[in-house]
Amino acid sequence: MMLPILFIAPSSKGGRGVFATEKIAANTVLEISPVIVFSVADRAIIEKSKLYNYIFEWGPSHKKAALGMGYVSMYNHDYNANCVYDMDFETETMTIRTIKGVKKGEELCINYNADPNDETLVWFHKTEKSRK
């Protein structure tokens, strides 16, 4: 399930992102999408590829990986995210839901730390910081 009011476009955050074609209320489910789950061994291989930037840690131990179908793997990171994601390990699905109202044309973002209030630097910000 994916709301038809979502679209992919270039993002000022880099690359592409998910945007809204109309205003969306807080606590709205945007999509429920299947994921492809990768074993620990497969994750090690994927982490050496471009797909590294699109996978999520998966499973109770966070040692496996998952690639979201639909738009799930296209949501950009923001420490002040307007969406959250929930993982269902049993059904191998992820749900994206708004936690704030979203304006028409606004980019929909998740916090890659899995907690919308977690300001721990994510991997690509750690890399940027180490270069400075």
Side-chain angles (χ1 to χ4, degrees):
M1 182 291 285
M2 183 186 315
L3 292 183
I5 59 173
L6 306 178
F7 69 98
I8 301 289
S11 170
S12 63
K13 297 178 180 304
R16 296 175 291 170
V18 182
F19 295 81
T21 62
E22 60 186 58
K23 182 179 174 181
I24 304 172
N27 205 33
T28 299
V29 173
L30 302 174
E31 71 175 293
I32 302 170
S33 295
V35 298
I36 297 173
V37 178
F38 298 101
S39 68
V40 174
D42 287 341
R43 177 182 174 174
I45 295 166
I46 289 168
E47 285 185 350
K48 295 175 185 172
S49 76
K50 189 174 186 174
L51 284 177
Y52 174 72
N53 294 309
Y54 298 92
I55 59 172
F56 292 82
E57 293 181 336
W58 191 260
S61 69
H62 304 285
K63 293 187 181 196
K64 294 181 181 179
L67 178 66
M69 300 289 95
Y71 290 166
V72 168
S73 288
M74 297 302 295
Y75 289 83
N76 280 316
H77 167 76
D78 196 312
Y79 295 108
N80 188 25
N82 52 17
C83 298
V84 292
Y85 61 91
D86 296 306
M87 300 174 166
D88 187 326
F89 302 136
E90 187 175 312
T91 63
E92 296 185 347
T93 59
M94 287 181 69
T95 300
I96 305 288
R97 177 179 49 83
T98 57
I99 54 172
K100 300 175 183 175
V102 175
K103 298 174 189 170
K104 178 181 179 178
E106 186 175 353
E107 184 169 5
L108 300 154
C109 296
I110 57 177
N111 185 322
Y112 289 1
N113 291 316
D115 175 347
N117 300 311
D118 188 340
E119 295 184 3
T120 304
L121 290 180
V122 294
W123 75 95
F124 53 87
H125 287 151
K126 289 178 184 175
T127 304
E128 289 171 6
K129 191 173 183 178
S130 69
R131 283 188 229 155
K132 293 180 180 179

